[in-house]
Amino acid sequence: MGERKVYLLLTDTGTLFTRMIRLYTKESHNHASIGFDCDLTEVYSFGRKRPRNPFIGGFVKEDMRSELFRNATCAVYVYSVTEKQYEKMLRLIKEIEENKQKYRYNLLGLFALALNKRIQRKHAYFCSHFVATILKEGKLLETNKHLCMITPQDLKHASSKKLVYQGDLQSYFSFKENQLEVN
């Protein structure tokens, strides 16, 4: 098989937690996810396990059509990858998914990152650290930064990917049907 696609999704859900992060970062998108189809049905991250509680988190398969993402804005980037790269990244995700009870959301690491301090905990990630780990597994991320210090903005500026959509997340789905299928 030839070329495959992997999607980097940066979002802002507009929740209180993301508004607090935006006050600090001054960036429009502060959550990172990785997807394996243009329909965004196979999207993974470390984030909320319960939509109303940002402090209970871990490995999640995200539903981009859920209440949490209903009013989200986003930037969708695409990587062209080989079958081998695609399989390596997906294999790591499936391994984490099969052992998800071992993994935690690294809230402490997120606060440390804000203070430019490195706290890496075993089996603990926040969203951009997780996405960076998956991209590194696929040899799509070249950085001198430690992976637990990677922000969504670092992902936006690193490596060779193409911005395919920016705007309202729910509008992406009709855009995708009209635009991405043509390419």
Side-chain angles (χ1 to χ4, degrees), residues 155-177:
L155 295 171
K156 181 168 92 174
H157 298 296
S159 55
S160 57
K161 70 209 158 318
K162 178 182 171 194
L163 176 67
V164 291
Y165 178 81
Q166 190 162 346
D168 177 64
L169 177 59
Q170 298 312 309
S171 297
Y172 166 82
F173 299 108
S174 55
F175 164 83
K176 180 226 24 117
E177 290 168 11

Side-chain angles (χ1 to χ4, degrees), residues 82-138:
T82 65
E83 183 71 24
K84 186 176 180 181
Q85 288 172 298
Y86 186 89
E87 292 299 326
K88 275 186 88 169
M89 290 184 287
L90 209 49
R91 192 176 315 119
L92 180 55
I93 286 174
K94 295 302 178 190
E95 183 181 305
I96 292 170
E97 188 173 38
E98 286 169 11
N99 297 290
K100 63 184 170 187
Q101 72 285 349
K102 284 191 334 190
Y103 290 87
R104 299 177 311 285
Y105 186 77
N106 192 3
L107 191 59
L108 186 61
L110 186 62
F111 287 123
L113 175 64
L115 300 171
N116 205 28
K117 301 287 183 204
R118 190 170 106 190
I119 296 181
Q120 183 168 3
R121 300 166 61 210
K122 190 174 184 183
H123 301 302
Y125 294 93
F126 48 87
C127 65
S128 51
H129 178 196
F130 167 74
V131 172
T133 300
I134 301 301
L135 292 174
K136 188 89 169 165
E137 181 74 9

